[in-house]
Every structure is written in structure tokens, then in C-alpha cells.
Amino acid sequence: MAGGDRTARRYVVSGLVQGVGFRWTAQRVARSLGVTGTVRNLPDGTVEIEAHGGPDALETLREALRTRMPGRVDAVHEDRLESPGRGGRPDDFRVVF
């Protein structure tokens, strides 16, 4: 995929999303979509995802965060991120501790 076709988003997911396998499922889904980035638990009980990919893949990921994750998702908040230049973009999707 060309660099110009990629964009970046930050999702913060609230609900019962920690301790239920949410991060590992998010990693598996993101990788299957060719999305790179990170997923991590935040101290307030939410999960944060920073995702880089094509617009269609990010939309599919966002929908999966709402409907296909373990636990209970109450809300998915989305922000646009500045997509880092070449060399600054993650090359995989990983769980951050």
C-alpha cells in the first residue's frame, strides 16, 4: 500500500475491556487487516489503540472494536493522529505493557 493511502487513528475503548483478552484479540484483528500500531491498557480501565493503515482497514478495525471483542464495549472514542513520516511508522501491531 502506498504511503499516501495510509492514515492514523487513536481509539479509546471503554467498558469491561481489561482482563478479558481484549488486547490480544485486537492485535489479531489488526494484523489480519494489515493495520500496524499498538494496543495497551490505560490506568483508568480503558484500552487505547493507536492504529496505522488504509481508511477501509481502519473503519473495519473500528467496527470490530465495537462488535467482535471479548468483554463488554460501552464506547469507542476516535481521534485522528498525525501519521508519522517514512521510518516513523510502526511495522507491526503489538501489545504494549
Side-chain angles (χ1 to χ4, degrees), residues 26-87:
Q27 178 187 50
R28 196 167 45 254
V29 170
R31 285 179 172 173
S32 76
L33 295 169
V35 172
T36 61
T38 59
V39 59
R40 68 182 179 132
N41 287 340
L42 296 179
D44 66 359
T46 61
V47 172
E48 176 187 62
I49 297 100
E50 289 192 9
H52 302 260
D56 291 343
L58 292 180
E59 181 58 32
T60 301
L61 176 62
R62 185 183 196 286
E63 183 61 22
L65 294 174
R66 290 185 336 97
T67 63
R68 293 179 34 201
M69 297 294 130
R72 184 192 77 243
V73 173
D74 293 337
V76 178
H77 178 76
E78 178 180 349
D79 293 310
R80 183 177 295 268
L81 290 176
E82 280 294 317
S83 191
R86 202 167 171 82

Side-chain angles (χ1 to χ4, degrees), residues 5-24:
D5 295 333
R6 293 180 68 87
T7 188
R9 296 284 186 272
R10 175 180 181 256
Y11 304 105
V12 177
V13 184
S14 61
L16 177 60
V17 292
Q18 291 190 11
V20 294
F22 188 98
R23 292 175 299 160
W24 303 104

